[in-house]
Structure formats: structure tokens, C-alpha cells
Amino acid sequence: MALREVKHLLVGGGMAAANCAAELRAQGADGEILLVGREPHPPYERPPLSKDFLRGESTAEDAYVHPPEWYAENGVELLSGTNVMSFDAAGRRAKLQGGEEIAFEKALLATGANVNILRVDGSGLDGIHYLRVLGNSEAIRDDVADANRVVLIGGSYIGAEVAASLTAKGKQCAIVMLEDVALSRSFGDEAGRFFHDVLADHGVELHGGEELEAFEGETRVEAVRTKSGRRIECDAVVVGAGVHPDTMLAGRAGLEVENGIVCDAKLQSSVEGIFAAGDVCSYDSVVHGRRLRVEHWDVALQQGRHAARSMLGGEEPYRELPYFFSDLADWASLEYVGPAQEWDEVVWRGDRDAGQWSAWYLSGGRLAAALSVERSEDLPHARRLIESGVDLSPHREALADGGTALESIA
């Protein structure tokens, strides 16, 4: 089989690679761009999988980053449903499923993350699902169509979002989680309590401080048992036990790997000309002064674009502040910038009882993150204050006073 030559090889069929391809062309990149993704679909956005797509309110095509025809129209060759079997970073070669060998000048590795699989008794029973790709969401939607009770394992984004979506579709849902309060790992107990109560008020059962012991059933899951002895009957289970970066290809290629592909501030890996973006990218953040790896839609989008500019010779560091969002059906929506590794104080702004507030996470007097519920107007100011690193100790009262304009805090 003849050796193919391309200028840019993009590995990974998600947000990062699709936006990298678009930015390469927008910046005038010439030569061939080859985007290889292992999923059968064109690159798509993942947030709908636990929200409107899961509820049957949108289609797979609605989630596509670009329309299918966009790739040919912009001179980007898309190989979906294709694995990259080996990657030679130093020799600039990659071997694809089927044996085709690709020579490239520069490459992006955006291989994403894989779900953490639970290894407990009964984990092989039918009716136990994980959510990562479109096919998973479709399988959950089909499998719970006739179900009455669904148990979610994990009290973070996936558990809370799926519980809200399925409850909105008439299912009785229960969340089993190690933490006492839903979403508290990201936002702390006090802010997490707001979302915890929203879920409870809409009928979701929450079992905090519980560790999974086993799944019970003959051939299909019938109940979840915790280590405390609690038994929760169910017709199906969705597990949200986190993910881990898919570094297998990078590690075999000799790239430096540590909780992701280790990259500099430009998103370049330990091998010149090889870049990473999205869930798999562990980059040197000039804003935070530490290494970060962030699993979220907006980060993959922004890093894909920045990696494209770096691939074309750009020297600017990646300075985008990570942004997150989540929806619990139409019950509550949150936005968050940060992320805060730690904090010693939370300043509240707005009306928590009315569900319109923001929480400002301070560490040593400086803003580390901000969480907003129905107060999006606060986030641009939060971004500015995080990036500036200004000491907010003298401004606590102004932060907490909804009548004080945030522009006044310099």
C-alpha cells in the first residue's frame, strides 16, 4: 500500500479536531488536512448526550460540529470509523486501521478520554450503561423507554444531568454517590446544596455518602446494593464514575504523558510539531501558574483553535480561561469559570432563594473561580479578576453587594 503524505494529521473525531481543522483553513493553511476519528459519526458535541438528545428533543445531526458536507467543501478529508493503530512522532508516520500509512508534517492528538469502568459484582449484567458517545445515549434512551426506576451512580455532572433528563421524561430516578451533596466536588457543599435541593424538589432520590457494593440481578440488573447495606431496586443503571485521558497512542509514541499528554503553554507536546487539545491535553497554564487538564466542551473548542494557530507557527501561549456549563433539564442552569483547585472563602452575590446568584471562590484573597446561576453578566468580570490576580480582600463587601457595579472593582 502506497505511503500517503499530508501536511496536517488530526487524530480524534471530536470538538478539538473539528475546530482545529476549521481554524487551519481560516488562517490560510494550505496542503492536505486529514482528520481521523474512531467513531462512525462526523465530529459532534457531547453536551446534548445527557440533555436534549437523551430526552429525544434533538437529533444526532443537530450535534454535529460542522455539516457533513463542510469537510469536502473546505478541503478536509474526514475518515470516520477509523482507528489510528500506531503513531511515530519522531518519524512523522501514522498507520491507520486497514494498514494505510500516513506521512505528515504536523499533527494534533485529540484522542479525548475514556469512561472509568466499575469492577464490582454484577457489573456485567444487562441494563448497566455508561455515557460517553452518541451510541451510549441512544442505548440508554431505548433501554429505559419502558423502565420505571433508574439508578445513577455518581453525583457529579453526568449523574445529575441524566437524572434530571430522565426524570423530566417521567422516570423515577435515584442517585447513589460517595459525596454527601450532589456536585459538591466541583463547587463545595454550600453551592452544591442548591443543585442537590433542585434535584430533590423535582423528585430525584439522593443517597449521599454511599459506596457501591454490587449490582444484583439474574441476567439484567434489578437492584443496586451499597456497602452500608442499602438496597435500591431499579430497572436500569447509568454510571457516571468519571473518565481518564486516552493517552495510549501518545504513550506508545514516546510522548511525555502524565495525567494526559504533557504540553507547553502553546499546546505543543514533548515532541516538536506534535500538539494536543481537549480532554487529553495537560497544558502549562500561564493564567493559573500550574498545569491543567480540563474535560469540557468549550475548552476542547478553544484549544483546537489555538493548536491550529500554533501549528502554523504562532508563538502565543494559550490564555483562555476554562469555562463550564451544565443544565439540569429546564430546572436550573449553571455557568462556571476557573477552575478552583482550592479556596478558603466563598463570597455570595445575588438572591439564592430566587435562584439568581453567583458564588466567588477566593484563595488567599484572589479569585480562583466563579459559579453563576442565572447571572451570566457576572462572568466577564470574574474572568477579568481571575486573569488579573488582583487582591479582592478589600472588595468583599462590593462583591457581595448586588447593587455595586462589578466594573468598580479594578
Side-chain angles (χ1 to χ4, degrees):
M1 189 173 291
L3 177 69
R4 282 190 55 196
E5 296 184 4
V6 302
K7 196 158 189 178
H8 296 100
L9 173 64
L10 315 180
V11 182
M15 283 290 292
N19 280 281
C20 181
E23 187 68 9
L24 284 169
R25 288 302 187 220
Q27 295 293 326
D30 57 8
E32 286 193 43
I33 299 173
L34 175 61
L35 195 163
V36 183
R38 61 189 171 200
E39 291 190 54
H41 307 277
Y44 60 87
E45 303 179 0
R46 296 191 190 278
L49 304 190
S50 59
K51 304 179 183 70
D52 47 305
F53 182 79
L54 181 62
R55 296 192 297 268
E57 298 166 2
S58 67
T59 66
E61 289 75 16
D62 293 331
Y64 289 168
V65 180
H66 306 302
E69 63 272 15
W70 178 91
Y71 297 91
E73 291 172 355
N74 287 272
V76 176
E77 183 178 356
L78 174 63
L79 287 181
S80 297
T82 303
N83 283 301
V84 176
M85 307 305 293
S86 65
F87 186 86
D88 180 355
R92 298 293 200 264
R93 295 285 191 277
K95 184 170 288 187
L96 307 184
Q97 179 181 349
E100 186 175 22
E101 193 167 0
I102 307 295
F104 59 87
E105 293 184 19
K106 293 184 179 178
L108 174 77
L109 294 181
T111 45
N114 296 320
V115 296
N116 295 327
I117 303 296
L118 299 183
R119 308 294 183 188
V120 299
D121 288 347
S123 58
L125 291 170
D126 291 341
I128 298 173
H129 300 272
Y130 293 81
L131 179 56
R132 182 64 185 172
V133 300
L134 266 168
N136 299 150
S137 188
E138 290 174 332
I140 294 168
R141 190 172 61 193
D142 293 344
D143 193 45
V144 305
D146 298 322
N148 292 315
R149 287 181 56 83
V150 181
V151 171
L152 295 305
I153 306 295
S156 194
Y157 287 110
I158 292 298
E161 291 173 356
V162 172
S165 288
L166 296 183
T167 300
K169 297 300 289 184
K171 309 304 175 183
Q172 176 60 55
C173 293
I175 298 177
V176 174
M177 56 191 176
L178 291 170
E179 55 269 59
D180 292 324
V181 179
L183 294 172
S184 59
R185 290 191 177 184
S186 297
F187 308 132
D189 285 351
E190 195 172 2
R193 176 61 63 181
F194 173 85
F195 305 108
H196 187 105
D197 290 346
V198 166
L199 290 163
D201 289 346
H202 285 85
V204 178
E205 295 176 16
L206 294 117
H207 302 284
E210 295 280 5
E211 185 175 355
L212 176 68
E213 173 75 16
F215 298 111
E216 296 181 354
E218 293 297 323
T219 59
R220 183 180 176 84
V221 66
E222 297 173 6
V224 167
R225 190 174 76 248
T226 71
K227 290 193 174 180
S228 72
R230 185 184 298 273
R231 185 177 186 275
I232 305 164
E233 293 185 355
C234 60
D235 304 306
V237 170
V238 180
V239 179
V243 300
H244 57 275
D246 184 356
T247 58
M248 184 177 295
L249 195 66
R252 289 176 174 172
L255 274 64
E256 185 179 355
V257 169
E258 183 179 353
N259 184 33
I261 300 173
V262 175
C263 293
D264 63 15
K266 297 188 301 179
L267 309 184
Q268 183 170 244
S269 76
S270 57
V271 175
E272 185 178 357
I274 311 297
F275 298 80
D279 293 358
V280 78
C281 177
S282 174
Y283 71 102
D284 183 12
S285 173
V286 296
V287 174
H288 298 82
R290 68 178 192 270
R291 184 163 295 285
L292 279 185
R293 187 182 66 81
V294 180
E295 301 156 5
H296 208 274
W297 169 90
D298 186 67
V299 175
L301 182 157
Q302 300 293 349
Q303 286 188 349
R305 291 175 178 173
H306 191 90
R309 295 190 289 271
S310 295
M311 292 169 86
L312 295 175
E315 295 292 332
E316 288 296 312
Y318 179 73
R319 297 192 62 90
E320 292 289 335
L321 192 65
Y323 165 83
F324 308 74
F325 72 90
S326 180
D327 298 315
L328 302 181
D330 59 358
W331 311 337
S333 296
L334 68 88
E335 295 177 277
Y336 177 75
V337 291
Q341 186 176 38
E342 57 185 22
W343 61 87
D344 48 44
E345 183 181 2
V346 181
V347 177
W348 297 86
R349 182 179 179 88
D351 189 339
R352 280 192 268 179
D353 291 336
Q356 296 180 330
W357 52 269
S358 56
W360 302 68
Y361 296 80
L362 305 183
S363 178
R366 289 170 170 78
L367 188 62
L371 170 65
S372 163
V373 173
E374 302 298 334
R375 284 188 66 94
S376 298
E377 66 272 17
D378 288 354
L379 292 185
H381 301 289
R383 289 178 181 272
R384 172 176 59 85
L385 294 171
I386 292 172
E387 290 169 354
S388 70
V390 65
D391 184 2
L392 294 177
S393 301
H395 303 286
R396 285 182 176 85
E397 290 186 9
L399 272 180
D401 181 5
T404 301
L406 290 169
E407 291 89 338
S408 67
I409 303 176

